[in-house]
Amino acid sequence: MMRKILFLSAWFFLTALMAQENTGTPLSHGHYNTDKFKQLTEELPSPNMFRTASGAPGPAYYQQRADYEMKAYLDDRNQILKGEATVTYYNRSPDQLDYLWMQLDQNIRRPNSLSERTKGDGPGVGYQPQKFVETFMGKPFEGGFHIEYVRYPGGTPIPYTINETMMRLDLKDPLPPGASVSFQLKWWYRINDYTITRGRSGYEHFDEDGNNLYIIAQWFPRMAVYNDAEGWQHKQFLGRGEFTLEFGNYDVYITVPSDHILEATGTLVNRKEVLTKTQYKRYKKALHSFEKPVKIVTLEEAVEAEKHFSGKTKTWHFKAENVRDFAFSTSRKFLYDAQAVRIGDRVVLAMSLYPKEGAPLWEKYGTAAVAHTLKSYSKHLFDYPYHKAVAVNARQQGMEYPMICWNYGRVRPDGSYTESTRKGMQGVIIHEVGHNWFPMVVNSDERQWGWMDEGLNTFVQLLTQESLEDNFDSRGYPKDLVPYLSGDQSQLEPIMTQHDMVRNSGKNAYHKTSAGLYMLREFIMGHELFDFAFKTYANRWKFKHPTPADFFRTMEDASGMDLDWFWRGWWFTTGVNDIGVKDVKFYVVTDIPTQRVKNMAKAYGMKVEQFPKMLYLVSPGSEDFRKEMLDKTNPAEDFPILKDYLEKHFTAEERSRLKNPKYFYEVVFEKPGDLVMPILVDIVYEDGSKESYHFPAEIWRLNDEEVTRVFATEKKISKIVIDPREITADVNKDNNVWEEKK
Ligand SMILES: [Zn+2]
């Protein structure tokens, strides 16, 4: 009995020893990887009744609502916008509010604004005369809101305090939970020439015909967001970090010169009044035109209109429900076309407005790009919820609002354009129309987190461009991010950085986020798990306000994957991925007990024959001996212990289908990079065939520096390639390939 127990323990000891040999490098090399796989409990806010640990809105989730009834008047001669609003604010929070905060974004263009005073980046590349005068000659652009009144509907003034781009309204009576308050505002501001001052709105002037093209946004005092995550989100507008906005209903009258064509967020209520009979008929036709756009305003009509300047006015009336913002664009230069797109069981209108300077490009690709975006994004996320999507052609622009966006893309004077102009224009339309999902509907806090709208959107944009055309030269792939990641490390910051603090937003918030999502979909989660989880996130948070934790948690909750290591590495650090092949060792198989086994037997006071019979991988010592062994060895035939086992457990037919490996390789993978990452590896055989392997990131959990795998193959390996498709943002390719010495 004792003898048998001793024997068994030797057996287990031996088995354990063999197992450890097979997993390669002992743990004395490298170190346990507790940090990189540690859960994000310290980085993420604690789940609560508002936001659950699964990443979904909780039972106490709430959001405020702000409805706006507004009138806007455009003074086209002086580029001034005047506005009046009645705002109704609904307090659905559990908190009593003594005051309200509104955003005065136009105040970024006040002389000596906070944004101006906090610029620390030296001279510009060059200065247009107006900009030079504004900057250095004491005549700054006099932008910013002029507030004429803030009052209750009866006329009682509401005291207010303006702090740069934010305004606090001190309510007469505190606003209790569940109550609403209405108040009125009147204001005006000078519209900026955005081609000089930059910005996400303004006008573009055309010297040849004296006309302006207006893209009007951030044009009214907007309610700041109040929520469970931030309280009042009233972080100042510095120009980079975009907007944080409540949903609400809009009823807006916009008065412009009578010869303007105008589009805006929402449903055009008085279409019959503002369009000519002919234009109205064409619009009706567009509702049934699924193949190509119908021109509502033609080139001839637009060219004729830009020769005149009407002294009369016309009022356009729009209504929009459950949107987070309202923008419009107006000019007498506009051509205008529209096409019907079927989304689910609804018909959505894709539309474009563009001056003749963009016409040859936009007639062909503008509305078509809008239509393609609506279909593609609806497939990847959820059906487009609004009745229309409008793309406006505005020089140098790329900016998004609910249902309407501004996009660059002009032709040369002779009407020609390059392929890169064409792709750039399609790309910006896809991107800006795509923003209807993130952040217009999945309404994240842009002021805080640029990546939550820009990065997620850049990723779906990439998928949308892939389905539009092969080799579109999309931004957002891991490979193209390598120069940024491996460049000047002092210029990098984690994705989880407030957007105004990000130096290279294009690379960080847009590209790195997109590349991260691409990696998750391509090889960390796979398409099926990723697509389900990503859709779950979008659907859980549509028409709501998600935070980063809600995204991270939902992606794990819906996929059944612990991704904390990936969020930690890719989102919270600036670490890079670098995996390589460090060493390849050859083995042959034998049934002769190795010296190690003999030593063990001796230590247990046993004879080696008393040990169970096993097969051993042994290093052949010399290349000649290896060849000799390989010539002889056919494991399934040559080793009685294996042969007996096979015959006992498998039929001849089954045996013929088993692999019969002859070559045994121990491959040591090294990881000089900080990040843990799956190992993607192609094994190429001497006959040119290959096999692809994928080892999940958890392979690094016990050793952060190197791991070892044994490959048993029937054919000789000629080459081992790490990350063969270049999809892991591996910053150093020098160690990615091992080749058999010839
Ligand atoms: Zn964007």
Side-chain angles (χ1 to χ4, degrees):
M1 198 60 191
M2 274 306 286
R3 185 139 188 112
K4 196 169 182 192
I5 288 167
L6 183 67
F7 182 83
L8 275 175
S9 62
W11 162 248
F12 285 126
F13 180 63
L14 183 67
T15 311
L17 183 76
M18 295 311 288
Q20 197 190 344
E21 276 187 342
N22 281 353
T23 52
T25 319
L27 296 177
S28 53
H29 276 83
H31 55 270
Y32 257 114
N33 216 340
T34 48
D35 292 352
K36 290 173 189 173
F37 290 97
K38 192 177 153 199
Q39 295 297 292
L40 286 168
T41 39
E42 283 152 41
E43 285 75 10
L44 302 183
S46 300
N48 53 45
M49 291 295 275
F50 304 112
R51 292 160 201 274
T52 71
S54 66
Y61 177 82
Y62 71 87
Q63 61 196 25
Q64 309 292 67
R65 174 176 151 192
D67 291 350
Y68 299 80
E69 289 167 38
M70 297 194 285
K71 286 177 181 155
Y73 308 90
L74 173 69
D75 176 348
D76 187 13
R77 294 246 180 245
N78 300 299
Q79 297 90 52
I80 285 174
L81 192 92
K82 297 176 189 169
E84 293 168 36
T86 300
V87 180
T88 304
Y89 182 72
Y90 299 84
N91 181 14
R92 291 154 160 186
S93 81
D95 311 326
Q96 171 178 299
L97 301 174
D98 297 337
Y99 43 78
L100 309 179
W101 282 95
M102 298 192 89
Q103 312 186 55
L104 304 180
D105 313 86
Q106 285 299 330
N107 284 2
I108 199 172
R109 279 186 275 277
R110 272 180 166 184
N112 212 26
S113 68
L114 180 67
S115 166
E116 179 55 36
R117 299 191 325 269
T118 56
K119 280 194 178 107
D121 52 357
V125 180
Y127 297 84
Q128 288 168 277
Q130 182 185 328
K131 188 74 185 168
F132 190 86
V133 171
E134 286 174 4
T135 312
F136 300 119
M137 296 176 73
K139 194 80 183 121
F141 177 68
E142 304 269 351
F145 281 123
H146 299 260
I147 304 286
E148 296 196 358
Y149 61 68
V150 185
R151 66 187 192 195
Y152 289 106
T156 312
I158 300 178
Y160 61 86
T161 301
I162 293 175
N163 173 9
E164 306 284 348
T165 61
M166 295 288 163
M167 173 167 70
R168 192 189 69 234
L169 311 187
D170 297 329
L171 300 175
K172 190 163 53 128
D173 303 308
L175 187 61
S180 65
V181 60
S182 289
F183 54 92
Q184 298 173 333
L185 304 111
K186 190 174 179 189
W187 69 92
W188 67 272
Y189 70 91
R190 289 190 185 83
I191 305 169
N192 57 302
D193 177 341
Y194 76 79
T195 66
I196 292 167
T197 60
R198 301 177 62 82
R200 295 172 169 82
S201 65
Y203 71 89
E204 172 188 0
H205 185 72
F206 293 78
D207 281 336
E208 313 84 79
D209 51 64
N211 278 288
N212 298 316
L213 188 162
Y214 295 88
I215 46 171
I216 301 297
Q218 295 96 44
W219 61 276
F220 57 98
R222 303 185 291 179
M223 290 306 305
V225 164
Y226 182 85
N227 68 14
D228 62 285
E230 296 278 344
W232 285 107
Q233 171 50 294
H234 45 24
K235 196 167 179 43
Q236 294 288 342
F237 182 36
L238 293 175
R240 164 71 63 73
E242 290 183 304
F243 312 109
T244 310
L245 297 160
E246 301 285 13
F247 287 107
N249 297 339
Y250 286 72
D251 190 349
V252 184
Y253 295 84
I254 309 162
T255 301
V256 297
S258 63
D259 49 1
H260 271 216
I261 286 293
L262 187 148
E263 258 298 352
T265 303
T267 304
L268 176 54
V269 179
N270 62 338
R271 192 180 314 274
K272 263 190 165 158
E273 287 170 34
V274 291
L275 296 185
T276 66
K277 253 194 186 135
T278 318
Q279 289 166 350
Y280 186 76
K281 260 191 217 158
R282 294 167 181 161
Y283 165 79
K284 285 285 188 190
K285 199 177 154 202
L287 291 172
H288 305 283
S289 177
F290 290 90
E291 298 305 318
K292 60 178 199 310
V294 174
K295 281 265 167 57
I296 297 171
V297 176
T298 65
L299 178 66
E300 295 70 32
E301 289 163 346
V303 168
E304 184 56 29
E306 71 177 25
K307 289 179 189 158
H308 310 282
F309 196 107
S310 175
K312 293 189 195 134
T313 62
K314 200 186 264 182
T315 299
W316 299 62
H317 181 199
F318 290 86
K319 278 187 177 183
E321 275 179 21
N322 211 16
V323 289
R324 58 164 243 166
D325 202 357
F326 188 100
F328 65 93
S329 178
T330 182
S331 178
R332 61 178 62 78
K333 288 179 66 71
F334 279 141
L335 283 80
Y336 184 13
D337 67 42
Q339 169 183 342
V341 184
R342 206 172 294 284
I343 301 292
D345 51 8
R346 293 180 308 115
V347 172
V348 175
L349 266 196
M351 298 175 155
S352 295
L353 277 72
Y354 43 94
K356 67 173 190 298
E357 287 77 2
L361 189 56
W362 279 71
E363 284 170 326
K364 204 163 169 193
Y365 298 107
T367 295
V370 177
H372 177 71
T373 308
L374 293 175
K375 289 179 206 161
S376 169
Y377 275 65
S378 293
K379 188 182 90 186
H380 289 292
L381 300 165
F382 50 78
D383 282 356
Y384 185 69
Y386 301 123
H387 74 289
K388 72 173 182 194
V390 186
V392 175
N393 176 216
R395 189 151 75 96
Q396 299 166 352
Q397 279 288 342
M399 189 57 204
E400 69 278 8
Y401 300 97
M403 303 179 221
I404 191 166
C405 56
W406 328 141
N407 311 269
Y408 61 81
R410 292 277 164 81
V411 299
R412 298 188 187 109
D414 67 356
S416 66
Y417 49 84
T418 62
E419 274 290 275
S420 93
T421 300
R422 192 260 301 168
K423 284 182 181 178
M425 169 264 196
Q426 288 172 306
V428 72
I429 292 174
I430 291 169
H431 183 94
E432 307 310 341
V433 173
H435 270 306
N436 275 296
W437 280 264
F438 308 113
M440 297 307 151
V441 174
V442 181
N443 190 353
S444 57
D445 179 351
E446 296 181 275
R447 182 64 45 89
Q448 193 71 255
W449 307 116
W451 66 268
M452 288 193 78
D453 60 300
E454 296 302 353
L456 270 56
N457 183 42
T458 298
F459 171 67
V460 189
Q461 177 193 355
L462 180 155
L463 299 178
T464 300
Q465 287 170 179
E466 281 182 351
S467 66
L468 179 71
E469 183 177 323
D470 290 339
N471 308 314
F472 193 87
D473 313 323
S474 295
R475 163 171 73 174
Y477 291 107
K479 186 183 169 188
D480 310 317
L481 193 65
V482 168
Y484 168 71
L485 292 176
S486 59
D488 182 354
Q489 299 295 298
S490 73
Q491 291 300 304
L492 303 183
E493 57 280 303
I495 295 175
M496 284 296 288
T497 301
Q498 193 267 327
H499 205 188
D500 288 298
M501 315 291 172
V502 175
R503 271 161 290 201
N504 188 341
S505 172
K507 284 294 173 198
N508 181 307
Y510 291 67
H511 195 151
K512 192 180 173 189
T513 304
S514 169
L517 298 173
Y518 185 87
M519 295 194 289
L520 284 169
R521 187 171 191 258
E522 283 307 303
F523 63 87
I524 296 170
M525 302 170 79
H527 288 203
E528 196 184 335
L529 290 177
F530 177 90
D531 290 350
F532 179 80
F534 199 55
K535 262 189 187 173
T536 300
Y537 166 72
N539 279 284
R540 275 180 177 179
W541 290 97
K542 67 182 171 191
F543 297 109
K544 293 192 171 70
H545 297 279
T547 64
D550 301 321
F551 173 72
F552 298 141
R553 287 172 172 147
T554 295
M555 292 301 286
E556 300 190 5
D557 187 62
S559 67
M561 290 190 79
D562 176 6
L563 300 167
D564 279 28
W565 61 269
F566 189 67
W567 310 132
R568 182 180 288 285
W570 197 256
W571 257 261
F572 285 84
T573 78
T574 57
V576 294
N577 176 36
D578 178 15
I579 295 173
V581 184
K582 185 183 177 187
D583 196 13
V584 177
K585 291 181 189 129
F586 312 107
Y587 288 84
V588 289
V589 64
T590 167
D591 58 357
I592 302 162
T594 58
Q595 189 57 44
R596 201 168 179 180
V597 174
K598 287 176 194 160
N599 292 347
M600 265 175 74
K602 201 170 168 190
Y604 279 92
M606 296 163 74
K607 286 192 165 36
V608 79
E609 292 76 28
Q610 290 173 281
F611 270 59
K613 281 210 173 299
M614 299 182 83
L615 296 169
Y616 306 94
L617 297 188
V618 294
S619 183
S622 74
E623 188 54 24
D624 288 345
F625 180 62
R626 179 174 173 236
K627 283 196 180 112
E628 188 191 322
M629 292 291 284
L630 288 173
D631 286 344
K632 275 202 279 199
T633 314
N634 175 2
E637 291 298 325
D638 294 354
F639 304 113
I641 168 188
L642 183 62
K643 202 174 171 214
D644 293 350
Y645 176 84
L646 291 172
E647 281 171 3
K648 209 158 142 193
H649 291 87
F650 300 90
T651 65
E653 206 260 318
E654 284 169 338
R655 285 202 299 277
S656 71
R657 279 187 275 124
L658 290 174
K659 281 195 219 166
N660 195 8
K662 210 171 148 158
Y663 300 87
F664 298 85
Y665 298 86
E666 180 188 16
V667 180
V668 182
F669 298 103
E670 62 176 0
K671 189 177 75 60
D674 311 310
L675 295 183
V676 288
M677 194 64 85
I679 306 174
L680 307 188
V681 52
D682 271 5
I683 302 287
V684 184
Y685 299 106
E686 56 182 352
D687 64 1
S689 62
K690 78 179 178 194
E691 280 182 290
S692 299
Y693 290 84
H694 173 282
F695 304 105
E698 285 82 353
I699 196 170
W700 302 105
R701 71 194 184 279
L702 300 182
N703 191 324
D704 193 39
E705 288 166 19
E706 58 181 62
V707 291
T708 306
R709 297 289 302 190
V710 175
F711 295 88
T713 69
E714 293 177 334
K715 294 179 275 192
K716 203 170 162 190
I717 295 177
S718 64
K719 199 158 115 174
I720 298 172
V721 187
I722 306 273
D723 189 15
R725 291 166 57 206
E726 296 188 56
I727 55 174
T728 68
D730 190 320
V731 297
N732 171 27
K733 290 199 312 197
D734 292 349
N735 57 358
N736 283 23
V737 180
W738 170 88
E739 278 183 282
E740 166 83 285
K741 288 182 204 79
K742 292 275 151 61

